[in-house]
Amino acid sequence: MRQIPRGVVHQPHVSLLSVMSFEFTFLGSGTSQGVPIIGKDYPPEFLANPKNWRTRPSIYVATDAVKLVVDTPPEFRLQVLRENLRWLDAVLFTHAHADHIMGLDDCRRVCDLRGGKALPIYASEATMNDLKRVFRYAFHDGPWPRGYFIPEPRVITGPFTLGDLEVVPLPLPHGATETLGYLFVQQGRKRLAYMSDCKEVPPEVLERIRGVEVAVLDALRPKPHPTHMCLDEALTAARRIGAGRTCLTHLTHDYDHDAAQAGLPPGVELAWDGLRVACGA
């Protein structure tokens, strides 16, 4: 298993430019059951709004030098088809709960598009161990038949580089589990801080991400939850971070998008599946 120590560079087909684009897309913005959930009746007007249909949480990050996803939820194949994604340089994982990992085998097609080459998989040691257990048929020393998922495990031990991005792992509390958020820095600019599953944003993480252009925060539901930030906790974190733009994700059906959005302060918005965010040049 390859470990990624501080400062090690992985650069897939990189051509660095003086000014680089940075864009990310919400592949999914919902909670662990998705929205709508099984076996529940909803008002017709709720279901009529496509922004209330939420698949499990993931983002796609694209620059001129690298393309990656954070997490591969159960609907990953459908998310990739919806956004017409054709290439990935890496997959990053926040943690190993089912709603974040169970689409990983869909990356077999990504490996095929890469010419049968392995796909770098970045995760903490604990998460990597879980991935190796759940997908043990793929995590081995080879050989792999063409068309199968070929992971190249890379254990995160500190900040690392992908293309033109410095990726800084952000340890976050999530009940008995520690998850990783990610800060993406491009040419010294703090583009995005992604924190999808956490009960709070610790002071040391707040200090690290201060000045970020866009913050994505867990805001599970309006009422408090033992392992996720609720809306009030997320709004408090947003004020402390002071990002130019804040998006709330990992959302339950307690949010009727348009009505809930109308009650949010300026600069804060509910994410929705397919929302594309371009950071300033």
Side-chain angles (χ1 to χ4, degrees):
M1 182 185 302
R2 184 174 178 183
Q3 291 200 339
I4 306 299
R6 186 181 301 272
V8 169
V9 176
H10 172 63
Q11 294 184 314
H13 55 75
V14 174
S15 175
L16 294 179
L17 305 175
S18 58
V19 178
M20 305 292 285
S21 66
F22 184 102
E23 181 178 271
F24 71 97
T25 303
F26 285 92
L27 300 181
S29 59
T31 186
S32 57
Q33 295 189 72
V35 180
I37 64 171
I38 294 170
K40 180 176 174 59
D41 295 323
Y42 292 86
E45 56 269 26
F46 181 94
L47 297 176
N49 187 344
K51 294 179 180 178
N52 285 332
W53 290 75
R54 305 178 180 114
T55 57
R56 269 63 74 94
S58 176
I59 59 168
Y60 168 70
V61 176
T63 76
D64 294 327
V66 68
K67 294 175 173 59
L68 62 93
V69 293
V70 180
D71 292 332
T72 57
E75 300 95 344
F76 185 65
R77 173 179 163 273
L78 298 177
Q79 294 170 342
V80 169
L81 289 172
R82 187 192 71 218
E83 299 303 324
N84 195 28
L85 306 185
R86 300 298 181 96
W87 182 270
L88 288 177
D89 294 300
V91 177
L92 283 57
F93 281 102
T94 58
H95 63 306
H97 286 173
D99 53 324
H100 294 260
I101 72 169
M102 294 309 292
L104 181 56
D105 188 69
D106 291 332
C107 288
R108 62 172 55 198
R109 178 58 181 154
V110 176
C111 294
D112 215 18
L113 292 169
R114 290 168 57 86
K117 296 180 180 179
L119 178 64
I121 306 296
Y122 292 80
S124 69
E125 184 173 11
T127 296
M128 192 69 75
N129 288 338
D130 285 336
L131 292 173
K132 292 175 69 176
R133 174 178 53 82
V134 175
F135 301 97
R136 63 181 181 176
Y137 62 87
F139 284 84
H140 55 76
D141 295 330
W144 293 265
R146 183 67 184 261
Y148 279 63
F149 171 47
I150 310 171
E152 184 179 296
R154 301 188 177 202
V155 173
I156 297 170
T157 60
F160 57 97
T161 300
L162 281 169
D164 58 332
L165 298 177
E166 179 189 11
V167 184
V168 181
L170 306 171
L172 300 168
H174 183 44
T177 300
E178 180 180 86
T179 69
L180 288 182
Y182 292 102
L183 173 65
F184 296 94
V185 183
Q186 184 185 48
Q187 296 182 335
R189 300 178 182 180
K190 298 178 182 179
R191 295 298 203 184
L192 167 66
Y194 182 74
M195 295 164 283
S196 66
D197 288 66
C198 57
K199 180 57 180 171
E200 65 171 336
V201 180
E204 60 273 18
V205 173
L206 280 170
E207 189 60 33
R208 191 70 185 260
I209 66 177
R210 201 175 304 278
V212 72
E213 293 180 23
V214 182
V216 176
L217 296 174
D218 181 0
L220 184 74
R221 64 190 189 191
K223 295 194 303 184
H225 186 275
T227 65
H228 290 270
M229 288 194 291
C230 66
L231 177 59
D232 184 63
E233 291 165 329
L235 292 177
T236 297
R239 288 192 295 269
R240 291 172 176 168
I241 294 167
R245 182 175 182 180
T246 299
C247 300
L248 306 181
T249 194
H250 213 295
L251 308 174
T252 67
H253 59 197
D254 296 298
Y255 296 101
D256 187 341
H257 185 277
D258 292 353
Q261 180 61 53
L264 294 179
V268 179
E269 61 194 288
L270 297 179
W272 42 274
D273 290 22
L275 173 64
R276 191 167 298 170
V277 179
C279 294

